Amino acid sequence: MRVHFSAVPSTVIVGAQWGDEGKGKIVDLLAQKADVVCRYQGGPNAGHTIIFGGDTYKIRQLPTGILSGKTAVLGAGCVVDPEVLVGELDDYGDRGKFCLSGNAHLIMPWHVAIDQASERRLGKLQIGTTRRGIGPAYADKASRIGIRVQDLLEPKILRQKIEVALAEKNLWLERVYEADTFELEDVASRYESYAQRLRPYIADTSLLVDEALRAGKSVLFEGAQATLLDLDHGTYPFVTSSNPVASGAATGIGIGPNRLDEIIGVAKAYVTRVGEGPFPSEIESPEQEQLRELGGEFGTVTGRERRCGWLDLVALRYAVRLNGFTSLALTKLDVLSSFAEIPVCVRYLLPDGTETPHFPAHQSDFHHCRPVYETLEGWEQRLDAELPAAAQAYVEFVEHALEVPVRLVGTGAERERVLARS
Ligand code: IMP
């Protein structure tokens, strides 16, 4: 099915739940009409799977728009693992034009080691990170001791910064985490070789995007992770260390928020979560396993089993508030096709016995709330170009509850299996 989605100057695509909503596929679809595709936050913790022409592509660090031959931008708000990036450039770099912000921060080997050691140390209290060094890299950025992409332009400065950082990080690794330390020569020579490979791509990406928008080009901002993993507004501490919410596109790229025209929230027709943390609509029956198998809910990056739950409209309503979605893409509706009845969480029952349609502002309420479900009729048939009445009713139920139109519906894994609704 061809999707006719009118191109507007700028569109942000944001995961509306806890990630893995199938953003990659929606970005890939809309990227066909875009000139520039940007990532504004996160790093190789993202895992986008795109299937087309019988091939499956898994991308962690590059914007998925590179696959469509577009200008692909990694903005200042991103953290970059140069080893992963160089690998992906080897595989896909010649498909489009790639530009990397000099202000983005580098993930260094000690960030990965500290992420791993810190999760090990936390034991049962672990966050369940992707162990790619994301949190420690953003922590150094906030502490103003990070090493940036632009440091790759100056070998002497790069080496000096590695030396200064190692003096402290090695102590920390050895004494606090009882983990292996790093040799200056090893790290410096590895990063110098990445520098040689990445230098040609380093650019003023804020200016590039500004000029593209001024020239009336279409720019797509591809959020990684998702709303409920947002550092400020998500389910802290079980969050990532960046700002996936739509306004993060403006800060992460370096343009004004008034330059963002459309904001598309991508929500799965049910919910999944990887890692730890409360999850009110998590299914407690064997249907969780059934949903996981049907939806292939295993992490792209880590291979971990994703926790599965019914659609949570309380959390989605919060995502609408945080992002200002102008429309929604409801993905993987086909995964629900086997169920005779489909519960949808419409409110939370709080510990004090009251019910609320709003996401709790306090962690204890969220930790202890129970889902209040309405049960919708299933359709129990394969989804095709025309949605059966019960599937149509499911989509409309979501639209009415959230007061946001669902413009795209995912009905299968392939690139083509997306329905456009007017
Ligand atoms: P980190 O981003 O690796 O620090 O992990 C922090 C939290 O975000 C963990 O719960 C991860 O499972 C989750 N997370 C990070 N990236 C993704 C993603 O792309 N999809 C789903 N969850 C993610």
Side-chain angles (χ1 to χ4, degrees):
M1 153 105 353
R2 285 195 69 75
V3 172
H4 298 285
F5 210 88
S6 59
V8 291
S10 78
T11 305
V12 192
I13 299 189
V14 186
Q17 296 154 327
W18 275 289
D20 310 311
E21 296 91 349
K23 291 183 292 293
K25 187 173 151 193
I26 302 296
V27 171
D28 172 55
L29 195 72
L30 300 185
Q32 310 306 314
K33 293 228 171 160
D35 300 296
V36 181
V37 181
C38 312
R39 269 193 60 184
Y40 54 89
Q41 45 71 230
N45 46 346
H48 289 145
T49 308
I50 293 143
I51 305 174
F52 68 87
D55 292 320
T56 301
Y57 300 86
K58 293 193 182 220
I59 286 204
R60 283 161 49 191
Q61 180 79 72
L62 278 172
T64 46
I66 194 97
L67 295 176
S68 317
K70 307 296 172 168
T71 299
V73 171
L74 276 186
C78 296
V79 287
V80 176
D81 186 324
E83 186 180 347
V84 178
L85 181 58
V86 164
E88 290 185 358
L89 283 170
D90 288 344
D91 291 342
Y92 309 121
D94 55 3
R95 286 174 167 252
K97 179 180 173 216
F98 174 59
C99 301
L100 172 60
S101 168
N103 288 355
H105 278 246
L106 290 173
I107 296 177
M108 304 301 293
W110 50 84
H111 293 139
V112 180
I114 291 172
D115 198 359
Q116 291 173 353
S118 136
E119 285 283 273
R120 266 200 308 275
R121 162 139 323 180
L122 282 168
K124 273 166 98 180
L125 296 177
Q126 66 173 253
I127 293 164
T129 74
T130 58
R131 303 191 178 205
R132 306 282 169 182
I134 308 298
Y138 276 114
D140 279 356
K141 168 180 169 172
S143 302
R144 294 156 297 177
I145 54 169
I147 302 182
R148 294 191 296 172
V149 165
Q150 58 185 281
D151 293 321
L152 296 174
L153 294 170
E154 292 166 277
K156 260 174 110 177
I157 293 183
L158 178 64
R159 191 189 162 87
Q160 242 173 30
K161 290 198 172 179
I162 293 175
E163 190 170 9
V164 170
L166 270 183
E168 185 197 317
K169 301 296 179 187
N170 272 345
L171 270 183
W172 197 257
L173 280 166
E174 196 174 5
R175 307 258 175 96
V176 177
Y177 291 120
E178 294 165 351
D180 293 341
T181 55
F182 293 94
E183 294 292 333
L184 171 63
E185 285 315 319
D186 283 355
V187 181
S189 66
R190 263 174 63 195
Y191 274 67
E192 178 46 32
S193 74
Y194 301 142
Q196 284 176 19
R197 183 79 169 82
L198 294 178
R199 267 177 212 135
Y201 300 103
I202 301 174
D204 184 344
T205 50
S206 158
L207 182 63
L208 183 151
V209 172
D210 179 65
E211 285 179 345
L213 288 171
R214 281 175 197 277
K217 294 198 172 151
S218 166
V219 181
L220 203 60
F221 300 91
E222 161 182 352
Q225 291 80 52
T227 303
L228 294 173
L229 294 173
D230 186 275
L231 179 61
D232 292 292
H233 303 287
T235 49
Y236 193 91
F238 304 103
V239 293
T240 192
S241 298
S242 63
N243 292 110
V245 293
S247 43
T251 38
I253 292 296
I255 53 165
N258 58 343
R259 310 293 290 284
L260 309 175
D261 299 307
E262 293 282 340
I263 299 168
I264 302 178
V266 185
K268 224 180 292 208
Y270 49 100
V271 187
T272 61
R273 174 164 205 182
V274 259
E276 306 306 316
F279 181 179
S281 68
E282 184 166 18
I283 303 171
E284 285 163 0
S285 66
E287 284 176 319
Q288 161 147 205
E289 187 59 39
Q290 194 184 344
L291 202 52
R292 182 179 304 121
E293 289 301 326
L294 287 167
E297 297 297 353
F298 302 90
T300 313
V301 175
T302 57
R304 284 183 291 179
E305 281 188 356
R306 296 178 185 144
R307 299 156 67 193
C308 298
W310 302 118
L311 189 65
D312 182 344
L313 292 177
V314 180
L316 268 187
R317 189 172 290 113
Y318 181 52
V320 171
R321 165 156 44 110
L322 293 176
N323 292 287
F325 295 141
T326 53
S327 70
L328 280 168
L330 198 64
T331 59
K332 298 185 99 167
L333 189 63
D334 55 301
V335 175
L336 296 178
S337 295
S338 318
F339 296 90
E341 293 188 324
I342 308 170
V344 174
C345 171
V346 289
R347 290 181 299 281
Y348 290 163
L349 173 64
L350 298 175
D352 68 3
T354 59
E355 289 188 6
T356 177
H358 297 298
F359 200 78
H362 296 288
Q363 57 191 6
S364 301
D365 283 340
F366 184 56
H367 281 240
H368 298 114
C369 70
R370 302 288 307 155
V372 178
Y373 288 114
E374 258 183 55
T375 301
L376 305 194
E377 202 187 314
W379 43 93
E380 295 183 278
Q381 58 177 284
R382 190 185 139 85
L383 296 182
D384 256 314
E386 287 287 315
L387 288 184
Q392 185 68 24
Y394 189 87
V395 175
E396 285 170 7
F397 189 82
V398 174
E399 284 182 318
H400 291 147
L402 302 176
E403 299 178 55
V404 178
V406 174
R407 303 262 329 262
L408 297 170
V409 177
T411 58
E414 302 78 17
R415 188 190 230 181
E416 304 75 32
R417 295 190 54 85
V418 176
L419 303 180
R421 300 172 77 246
S422 51

